Amino acid sequence: MKRHHLLTRRPQPVHDRQMLSQINTIAHSLVNVRDSDLVNQYQQLKQLCQFPGDDLDGLTVHTFSLVVESVRRVLGLTYHQEQLMAGLAMIRGEIVEMQTGEGKTVTAVLPACWFALAGRGVHVMTVNDYLAERDFQTLSPVYAHLGLSSGLNQPRLSAQAKRTACAADITYGPGYEFGFDYLRDQVMSLSQQRPRLGSQFSRTLNGCDIPTPQPVQRTHAVAIVDEADSVMIDEATVPLVLSTQAGQPANNAEVYQAARQAALTLKAGRDYLINEQTSELQITDLGILRLSADRSLIPLERLDRPWMQYVEQALRAELFYHRDIQYVVYDNRVQIVDPHTSRIFADRTWRNGLHQAVEAKEGKPITSESQPIARIMRQKYFQLYDQLCGMSGTVQGCQREFRDVYGIRHAVIPPHRPSRRIDLPVRLFVDQRYREQAILCSIQELLPTRRPVLVGTSDIDTSRRLSQLLHDQGLTHHLLNGVQDADEAAVIASAGEPESITIATNLAGRGTDIKLGPGVAATGGLHVIAAGFQLTERIDRQLIGRAARKGEPGSSQILASISDPLFLQSSPGWNDSLKQQAGPNGEIPVTKQILGRIVKTQRKVELQGMQRRKQLTQHDNWLSNATCSTWN
């Protein structure tokens, strides 16, 4: 399908200031216009934009003005200039950085309505299905007010329901679900291209006309991606894989149990070598000989792959996969924890027998392996769209990758009000125990002020230990880690109430506004404690940005430990020298040199991640080209 000219010709930033003034003027003139006239004006714009010679700046100004007035009438909200600036940047196909609390959700309405003028469908992608449903329920009345249809694409919907959702002018849904729909459509298309021999003759003979199944998605015209760095960068190493349904009892469970028993007989340094920094594992020649010595211990007749691969996965499960960090055990099942968000994904499983190896390790029922049907790298899926744009609170640090991989620029939008956040000095401890005691003391020191405290952790295990520590001290608090839903969002939303203490994994409730309760602003606002540095500075900023939103007062502090994953990326000699500097309370004085080394390590990890994602993309392209050559 030929691309609509609206998706190739975009307003230039040199006109932004002039356009902002015009938008405000026209929006003000629409205050007394009837609702039906707003719909008519938008529909007239849709007709005008079908002609390549239209006045693009004028089209943009009038579209944004109609959205501004519709949002005011339906939601009672008034756009500020910075949100309009972000909208203009997104219709140019840019990723915008807006600080936490600046109103990204309602800002997305501006480019959504602008791109909807082309009539080819707009996909608004969120990081999970809860946020998609929340945003859809909030904003669909705004779209209806302009005569636009909107849909909600969720997992587990029927194919017909998905087709209806994707046929709307604007469709909300989690980003991964649009990708899975694409894979399902591709599988269906291939099956239709290869009909069974004689099937058409049989249908004709019996007078049956079986309708051809229709794809769910109609086009890949426009995608507006919320939390774009998380969706398009951090999760880029995890391909979208459409698999057969797993979870049934495995008929070869004894294979994984035998592999674990064999793995437990091996000794590090002799039978296998490990790289702690890269989590790489290699079984030595001596280890291979030991594993092959007694063939009676190997269930040869039940193997679906080489025996050594089962043992390697069992070793990985023992060495690199830890309960309440990489996975949790819930409802007698092993469930994966997303490494970027600490979300629990009940429907995901690790591939190539790793999930079964972890089940054997935990002594849980071993399930059957899923078999991949189709897959696509996330980068390649996003590149299907004619137009990409998005938003995040943390774009800086990965703007180069956005440009190199997706060919899109970024724009930094200033906050509507200057930040009043006070960032307290970083504190560093020799281990988690000393760090957790310091966090407890920090919370207790704030109790007389009645200020709310939010403690962010990098994993579920740390959040649970802190929760137990507070419980032992009789401190009432909320603990959040796991699947994001309406209950979690409600708890996070109340994290700004007086005397509230919330312990949460870093991204729990991401996208939920934390409003300060009565009197909190006068006492200093929300205080955020980060339990350690993250592997990337962007995630640190995401957590710390929860304090002092919208120009409110607030403060933050990072309390780190040299046992945190980031410090494992540095040389052991540096960690040993840091330990020697610790005082009697386990605290290490933090100097500018130490802070510089931490920043340098984070940048190194980010660069390694970018290179790894680039290599995966290149490898995937090579596989695709090789497959095409084979078929040709």
Side-chain angles (χ1 to χ4, degrees), residues 129-310:
D129 51 359
Y130 160 71
L131 289 176
E133 182 174 4
R134 184 202 67 179
D135 294 353
F136 169 76
Q137 297 293 348
T138 301
L139 300 173
S140 56
V142 176
Y143 298 125
H145 200 262
L146 291 173
L148 288 166
S149 60
S150 56
L152 178 62
N153 181 26
Q154 293 279 58
R156 293 175 289 279
L157 288 180
S158 67
Q160 182 54 49
K162 283 178 170 290
R163 274 191 289 272
T164 301
C166 290
D169 294 307
I170 299 164
T171 307
Y172 279 78
Y176 55 81
E177 192 61 24
F178 288 104
F180 285 131
D181 286 341
Y182 169 76
L183 291 176
R184 295 184 191 102
D185 284 347
Q186 293 301 300
V187 170
M188 182 195 68
S189 176
L190 286 173
S191 67
Q192 292 301 310
Q193 292 174 16
R194 302 175 188 173
R196 292 177 57 188
L197 187 63
S199 60
Q200 182 63 44
F201 176 76
S202 298
R203 288 198 297 268
T204 303
L205 189 65
N206 295 317
C208 299
D209 186 16
I210 301 177
T212 302
Q214 297 299 311
V216 164
Q217 296 179 340
R218 51 175 176 144
T219 62
H220 290 92
V222 179
I224 302 173
V225 186
D226 193 15
E227 307 294 1
D229 60 325
S230 176
V231 175
M232 301 171 68
I233 302 294
D234 294 333
E235 296 185 3
T237 58
V238 183
L240 296 166
V241 181
L242 189 64
S243 306
T244 56
Q245 188 66 38
Q248 301 301 316
N251 58 10
N252 61 341
E254 67 274 15
V255 172
Y256 305 100
Q257 293 162 344
R260 180 168 188 266
Q261 293 304 315
L264 293 177
T265 66
L266 302 180
K267 294 186 180 297
R270 182 191 70 184
D271 301 319
Y272 62 89
L273 304 174
I274 58 174
N275 185 326
E276 293 284 356
Q277 287 189 333
T278 60
S279 297
E280 292 178 345
L281 168 70
Q282 180 183 0
I283 298 179
T284 64
D285 291 341
L286 181 58
I288 293 174
L289 288 174
R290 288 172 59 83
L291 290 171
S292 306
D294 189 352
R295 296 177 65 83
S296 66
L297 299 177
I298 305 175
L300 294 170
E301 69 283 355
R302 307 306 304 275
L303 301 184
D304 294 324
R305 60 174 67 91
W307 171 242
M308 207 59 58
Q309 293 182 16
Y310 286 98

Side-chain angles (χ1 to χ4, degrees), residues 13-22 81 88:
V14 294
H15 300 147
D16 280 6
R17 291 193 177 278
Q18 180 182 355
M19 293 171 69
L20 289 174
S21 176
Q22 292 173 344
Q81 296 295 91
L88 291 173

Side-chain angles (χ1 to χ4, degrees), residues 65 98 114 162 167 234 299 316 329 367 376 418 420 429 548:
S65 301
M98 298 178 68
W114 192 86
K162 283 178 170 290
D234 294 333
R316 287 191 176 90
V329 175
T367 57
I376 188 171
R420 297 168 59 190
F429 299 86

Side-chain angles (χ1 to χ4, degrees), residues 392-410:
S392 176
T394 49
V395 175
Q396 295 184 82
C398 55
Q399 61 267 39
R400 174 183 169 186
E401 193 165 356
F402 275 121
R403 183 185 67 246
D404 293 347
V405 176
Y406 301 104
I408 49 183
R409 298 178 300 173
H410 82 290

Side-chain angles (χ1 to χ4, degrees), residues 462-503:
T462 302
S463 70
R464 286 179 174 170
R465 289 201 313 272
L466 282 170
S467 176
Q468 185 61 51
L469 193 61
L470 294 180
H471 177 77
D472 293 342
Q473 295 294 317
L475 295 177
T476 302
H477 63 283
H478 296 289
L479 173 63
L480 292 178
N481 49 39
V483 179
Q484 179 163 344
D485 55 20
D487 292 336
E488 181 182 274
V491 172
I492 279 291
S494 66
E497 292 298 315
E499 301 183 69
S500 172
I501 303 173
T502 308
I503 309 294

Side-chain angles (χ1 to χ4, degrees), residues 367-618:
T367 57
S368 59
E369 293 187 33
S370 60
Q371 299 300 320
I373 300 173
R375 69 187 292 276
I376 188 171
M377 295 299 293
R378 293 174 192 251
Q379 298 100 320
K380 188 169 290 186
Y381 175 70
F382 284 117
Q383 289 167 354
L384 294 173
Y385 283 88
D386 293 336
Q387 185 62 62
L388 269 175
C389 64
M391 309 167 289
S392 176
T394 49
V395 175
Q396 295 184 82
C398 55
Q399 61 267 39
R400 174 183 169 186
E401 193 165 356
F402 275 121
R403 183 185 67 246
D404 293 347
V405 176
Y406 301 104
I408 49 183
R409 298 178 300 173
H410 82 290
V412 178
I413 306 299
H416 181 52
R417 298 183 182 91
S419 174
R420 297 168 59 190
R421 189 180 69 237
I422 300 173
D423 296 322
L424 301 177
V426 171
R427 299 178 66 185
L428 183 61
F429 299 86
V430 294
D431 58 31
Q432 293 179 339
R433 180 172 60 88
Y434 282 115
R435 188 254 306 280
E436 288 163 7
Q437 286 294 328
I439 291 175
L440 173 62
C441 290
S442 295
I443 294 173
Q444 291 174 326
E445 289 172 0
L446 286 172
L447 289 177
T449 69
R450 302 184 72 235
R451 288 181 63 188
V453 179
L454 172 64
V455 183
T457 70
S458 61
D459 57 69
I460 293 173
D461 183 53
T462 302
S463 70
R464 286 179 174 170
R465 289 201 313 272
L466 282 170
S467 176
Q468 185 61 51
L469 193 61
L470 294 180
H471 177 77
D472 293 342
Q473 295 294 317
L475 295 177
T476 302
H477 63 283
H478 296 289
L479 173 63
L480 292 178
N481 49 39
V483 179
Q484 179 163 344
D485 55 20
D487 292 336
E488 181 182 274
V491 172
I492 279 291
S494 66
E497 292 298 315
E499 301 183 69
S500 172
I501 303 173
T502 308
I503 309 294
T505 48
N506 276 338
L507 301 184
R510 186 173 183 175
T512 302
D513 193 20
I514 300 178
K515 294 182 173 63
L516 299 185
V520 170
T523 59
L526 175 68
H527 181 60
V528 172
I529 299 175
F533 285 98
Q534 300 301 303
L535 291 177
T536 63
E537 188 262 345
R538 286 185 294 110
I539 300 180
D540 287 335
R541 287 195 287 126
Q542 188 70 238
L543 173 63
I544 289 171
R546 294 190 151 228
R549 297 156 69 105
K550 303 178 182 178
E552 296 169 336
S555 57
S556 72
Q557 188 169 34
I558 298 176
L559 279 71
S561 160
I562 61 174
S563 60
D564 293 339
L566 179 68
F567 288 85
L568 297 178
Q569 301 292 324
S570 299
S571 62
W574 187 50
N575 285 1
D576 291 338
S577 68
L578 289 175
K579 288 181 182 178
Q580 296 174 6
Q581 302 173 38
N585 63 346
E587 186 164 4
I588 302 165
V590 178
T591 64
K592 289 183 179 179
Q593 289 76 16
I594 290 176
L595 289 175
R597 184 77 174 262
I598 290 171
V599 172
K600 185 177 179 180
T601 303
Q602 286 181 317
R603 289 175 179 172
K604 182 189 76 172
V605 171
E606 185 68 37
L607 179 60
Q608 290 172 342
M610 184 175 69
Q611 292 172 340
R612 184 169 62 254
R613 291 186 289 269
K614 182 178 180 180
Q615 290 170 355
L616 283 171
T617 302
Q618 291 173 340

